[in-house]
Amino acid sequence: MSPPPDPWSRLARLTPARIALGRTGASLPTREVLAFALAHAQARDAVTTPFDSARTAHDIEALGFRTLEATSQAVDRATYLRRPDLGRRLSETSRQRLAQAAKAPCDLAVVVADGLSSTAVHAHAAALLGALQPVIDAANWRVGPIVVASQARVALGDEVGEILQARLVILLVGERPGLSSPDSLGAYITFAPRVGRTDAERNCVSNIRGAGLSYAAAAFKIGWLAREALRLELTGVALKDESDVETLGAPTAPPLPGAAARNSS
Amino acid sequence: MRYRKTLGATTWTFDSLAQVMAKASPLRSGDMLAGIAAGSAQENVAARMVLADTPLTAFLAEPLIPYELDDVTRLICDTHDEAAFRPVAALTVGGFRDWLLSEAATSEALAALARGLTPEMAAAVSKLMRNQDLILAASRCRVTTRFRDTIGLPGTLAVRLQPNHPTDDLAGITASILDGLMYGCGDAVIGINPASDSLGVIGDLLRLTDDLIRRFEIPTQSCVLTHVTSALQLIERGAPVDLIFQSIAGTEAANASFGVTLALLQEGLEAGRSLKRGTLGDNVMYFETGQGSALSAGAHHGIDQQTLEARAYGVARAFEPLLVNSVVGFIGPEYLYDGKQIIRAGLEDHFCGKLLGAPLGVDVCYTNHAEADQDDMDTLLTLLATAGVTFVMGVPGADDVMLNYQSTSFHDALYVRELLGLKRAPEFEAWLARWQITRSDGRLAPARAGHALLEGFS
């Protein structure tokens, strides 16, 4: 017989935390041990599932963008996890390929990076770019080829942006997976990208996923931050995300969900 | 100074005491990332042999980070208690390990010795100790602290109730606090990591926990883990601040990257004490640390991460904290790669902290990109509990839905109490019995609907 949840299980509707689980003696009921194991397996698989960069590039091209595949200097997942420095730099081959593609300066470089969750990129990157497309078109930005990068960390966008002579880089990346959020995508926005930028010089829109920030809301925030970054010629701690304020004043803008994304460096 | 060891046909040389320390460390990814780890298993043992023959006084004569460059070194040197050091002053590091495991190292002798030891001495001897040595020696150390209850008494284990919520929702956080209390957790602190850094939100969280503690007369304390400067502002605004939190590290430069100085910590200590909110004692500081934080900030001076972690405890003890928490597996696999490295680091941190006189708890934890799982956490929790760890975390279902990592749960605390007979802080234990959350033997009473604690909530 399975031990029931605790009598205060109604409180569980107030939080995603695992409360009122019930117990057998001092220990978890079998169903909770298995539910936890499944969540951990999903998060582990999000980290280790090989990144399908070809499929991701194909999905993005279907939107009408040009793409370019790139790799970091981390040759495999084990190296990537141990050596964050290598995940921040382009491989020599990729560097040359990007240099050849960089014909003229552009306003915007966009990088899609696997980061710590290829699952998140597979699930959300193309869809988010689809939502961003009208924002980009409306602003009339010149966009470089969308770079689909494997074994890549956030700072890889600095080198890509520098080579593509971009005023601004937007990097979409699979975030460190949590048990309740194995497929969360983040967007990092950096003005005047070049190797050596610090995280304090970026803005971030986090938690883009089904149960988090919607594509429309994320695209609105990213578009707002990109416009402000190009206008003020900076990103980072000096650029405060006040896109919510603008939404309140503009009834035609897409509505934001109740849970706002958290800006972090 | 050069150090040398000949083993068979090979002579191993080390350029400095810092290099001996780094290469004598059990292998971990953070020291490899820094490029200071031993290049081979034999070099590691050669360095440990050199270290074993090194007198403890070498650490007073040759600070690993120069006195002029670093205020943590200055703090360590300036507060070193020569008289307390005397019983072990003639020993080598190897001899000190033998002494620690001998019958001479009683709880009283260890307590008297603490201020005579520098963090570097503690780190050095830990590198010669196997896991069982770290457990046995730490189990003899007693560090007791007080605010509204008594933490660290022999035979007890306290739990930090960690009711985090991804958007700091007050109802959601209340739900997790009630769940934790009904599971008998929260005697170390009710400690919330806020998602927001807004002072308004943090003030709301402080009032929420203060209301609960007063309404139910819970003999515990609350903390919202925000920067010390925020705590100072909140105190000025009249917010009910029990404990002052700060992340700290083992070098001046790493502390600077956290936005703190020793003077600022002193200011926090004095502001916290000025409120006189503790009923049993005035240990008002709550520090968090973790191996790798100095390297992560580019502030490691070529020193291995375990030694720098011990130096963070040297900082902590100067401010008479209620709680010091090594968040051992949080930083990620580039510093501690897998369960084996996390387990070793957790035992080292606990031993070094206790030996230095800090009330050390451990956040037994891992992230999803580390090669670790709940089985590794069970192992480390069990080992630390046998070693007498001061406190561990209590996160609902071990899943922190705000910080996205796995720690220990309310159930884990029950497990280790059941296994080892560990009690809660006595005042909190009595409160649980009074509210009939526990039975007379300390085990949980059967859960029932309509418990007085839940009235008006569910």
Side-chain angles (χ1 to χ4, degrees), chain A residues 51 56 112-115 117-126 172-174 183 185:
Chain A
F51 180 39
T56 302
V112 174
D114 52 356
S117 174
S118 51
T119 303
V121 176
H122 294 155
H124 305 307
L172 309 181
V173 63
D183 64 338
L185 195 73

Side-chain angles (χ1 to χ4, degrees), chain A residues 6-8 10-29 36 40 43-44 47-48 77-78 81-85 88 116 153 176-181 259-260 262, chain B residues 33 165-167 169 171-172 175-176 178-179 182-183 195 330 333-334 337 366-374 396-399 401 403-406 411 414-415 444-449 454 457-458:
Chain A
D6 294 305
W8 54 92
R10 276 172 55 83
L11 290 176
R13 74 188 188 282
L14 300 172
T15 174
R18 292 168 197 259
I19 66 167
L21 301 181
R23 61 189 175 88
T24 172
S27 304
L28 282 172
F36 186 99
H40 184 236
R44 291 294 292 158
V47 175
T48 55
R77 208 58 173 163
L81 291 173
R82 282 192 179 87
R83 292 289 303 273
D85 52 327
R88 296 182 186 123
L116 283 169
R153 291 188 186 257
R176 195 178 88 181
L179 287 201
S180 52
S181 55
R262 201 155 50 82
Chain B
L33 181 63
H165 186 280
T167 59
D169 182 79
S176 287
L178 293 172
D179 193 59
M182 292 302 291
Y183 271 85
F330 186 74
E334 60 267 45
Y337 187 69
Y366 64 105
T367 60
N368 285 314
H369 58 312
E371 291 294 325
D373 61 20
Q374 225 57 23
D399 170 13
V401 294
L403 293 171
N404 284 337
Y405 77 120
Q406 285 88 256
H411 293 75
L414 291 180
Y415 144 75
L444 290 188
R448 59 187 169 82
L454 301 167
F457 289 109
S458 52

Side-chain angles (χ1 to χ4, degrees), chain A residues 18-229:
Chain A
R18 292 168 197 259
I19 66 167
L21 301 181
R23 61 189 175 88
T24 172
S27 304
L28 282 172
T30 303
R31 66 168 181 279
E32 296 298 339
V33 173
L34 292 174
F36 186 99
L38 176 60
H40 184 236
Q42 287 167 341
R44 291 294 292 158
D45 285 348
V47 175
T48 55
T49 297
F51 180 39
D52 191 343
S53 60
R55 194 189 98 197
T56 302
H58 178 266
D59 292 350
I60 293 169
E61 282 177 0
L63 298 167
F65 291 107
R66 285 179 299 138
T67 66
L68 202 61
E69 288 182 49
T71 54
S72 79
Q73 292 179 9
V75 293
D76 54 31
R77 208 58 173 163
T79 309
Y80 175 83
L81 291 173
R82 282 192 179 87
R83 292 289 303 273
D85 52 327
L86 297 181
R88 296 182 186 123
R89 295 305 299 267
L90 285 166
S91 67
E92 185 54 31
T93 327
S94 297
R95 221 166 53 78
Q96 286 174 9
R97 191 181 306 160
L98 255 70
Q100 282 162 14
K103 302 268 189 310
C106 58
D107 295 309
L108 197 62
V110 179
V111 183
V112 174
D114 52 356
L116 283 169
S117 174
S118 51
T119 303
V121 176
H122 294 155
H124 305 307
L128 176 61
L129 283 171
L132 260 177
Q133 211 162 15
V135 178
I136 294 171
D137 291 346
N140 211 17
W141 286 322
R142 294 166 298 164
V143 185
I146 310 258
V147 176
V148 179
S150 302
Q151 311 292 10
R153 291 188 186 257
V154 170
L156 188 96
D158 296 339
E159 190 171 12
V160 170
E162 186 174 354
I163 294 173
L164 295 181
Q165 304 168 57
R167 293 183 67 206
L168 188 78
V169 63
I170 297 175
L171 177 130
L172 309 181
V173 63
E175 296 185 317
R176 195 178 88 181
L179 287 201
S180 52
S181 55
D183 64 338
S184 181
L185 195 73
Y188 287 81
I189 300 152
T190 312
F191 183 77
R194 60 168 182 269
V195 173
R197 287 277 181 225
T198 69
D199 286 345
E201 295 173 297
R202 314 183 197 288
N203 289 88
C204 172
V205 176
S206 180
N207 198 28
I208 304 165
R209 64 192 173 97
L213 196 65
S214 70
Y215 302 138
F220 178 75
K221 268 182 181 294
I222 294 166
W224 188 93
L225 286 165
R227 271 195 308 278
E228 287 301 294

Side-chain angles (χ1 to χ4, degrees), chain B residues 8-320:
Chain B
T10 311
T11 296
W12 301 92
T13 61
F14 307 94
D15 293 337
S16 64
L17 191 50
Q19 202 178 79
V20 173
M21 290 282 273
K23 291 183 184 290
S25 283
L27 198 66
R28 66 203 61 199
S29 50
D31 291 338
M32 295 168 75
L33 181 63
I36 58 175
S40 70
Q42 288 185 70
E43 188 182 23
N44 172 250
V45 178
R48 283 156 58 193
M49 288 175 164
V50 168
L51 193 57
D53 291 339
T54 302
L56 287 177
T57 49
F59 293 97
L60 300 174
E62 188 184 343
L64 299 184
I65 303 173
Y67 187 89
E68 313 75 52
L69 285 187
D70 186 278
D71 65 2
V72 176
T73 300
R74 291 198 287 279
L75 173 73
I76 291 165
C77 294
D78 296 350
T79 59
H80 181 246
D81 185 335
E82 293 272 355
F85 179 54
R86 210 158 290 139
V88 298
L91 299 179
T92 59
V93 178
F96 184 41
R97 175 190 169 277
D98 292 336
W99 182 87
L100 280 171
L101 297 168
S102 75
E103 287 168 14
T106 60
S107 296
E108 295 72 28
L110 287 164
L113 180 63
R115 293 284 169 163
L117 295 175
T118 66
E120 287 82 353
M121 295 173 191
V125 74
S126 79
K127 295 176 195 300
L128 304 183
M129 295 168 82
R130 285 178 27 203
N131 286 2
Q132 65 163 268
D133 303 341
L134 297 171
I135 292 168
L136 185 62
S139 75
R140 295 173 175 167
C141 297
R142 302 263 174 271
V143 182
T144 307
T145 58
R146 291 176 180 85
F147 190 77
R148 291 198 192 102
D149 55 0
T150 310
I151 293 168
L153 292 173
T156 67
L157 167 76
V159 175
R160 166 188 165 188
L161 205 174
Q162 183 170 314
N164 298 343
H165 186 280
T167 59
D168 297 327
D169 182 79
L170 296 181
I173 284 173
T174 304
S176 287
I177 292 175
L178 293 172
D179 193 59
L181 292 172
M182 292 302 291
Y183 271 85
C185 293
D187 48 349
V189 63
I190 299 174
I192 305 168
N193 298 88
S196 164
D197 52 11
S198 141
L199 290 184
V201 170
I202 294 165
D204 288 344
L205 294 172
L206 284 168
R207 281 182 287 278
L208 169 76
T209 45
D210 183 53
D211 285 350
L212 287 171
I213 286 172
R214 289 201 296 174
R215 180 161 155 198
F216 298 121
E217 301 174 317
I218 313 171
T220 189
Q221 37 282 329
S222 79
C223 186
V224 178
L225 282 69
T226 185
H227 196 266
V228 60
T229 53
S230 300
L232 288 169
Q233 286 185 52
L234 286 157
I235 288 174
E236 262 179 39
R237 294 181 188 187
V241 176
D242 286 346
L243 303 185
I244 309 287
F245 169 80
Q246 185 55 49
S247 291
I248 56 169
T251 70
E252 180 177 350
N255 283 323
S257 81
F258 291 149
V260 293
T261 60
L262 300 179
L264 187 59
L265 295 176
Q266 183 65 30
E267 202 182 322
L269 172 65
E270 287 165 12
R273 282 187 171 162
S274 74
L275 299 179
K276 301 192 189 312
R277 291 174 60 84
T279 50
L280 297 184
D282 64 355
N283 299 115
V284 299
M285 302 301 283
Y286 175 16
F287 292 120
E288 284 192 352
T289 66
Q291 290 192 25
S293 58
L295 174 58
S296 166
H300 64 104
H301 298 274
I303 308 298
D304 68 272
Q305 66 185 35
Q306 190 261 327
T307 299
L308 293 178
E309 175 70 5
R311 283 168 56 101
Y313 309 145
V315 173
R317 70 175 174 178
F319 301 95
E320 299 174 13

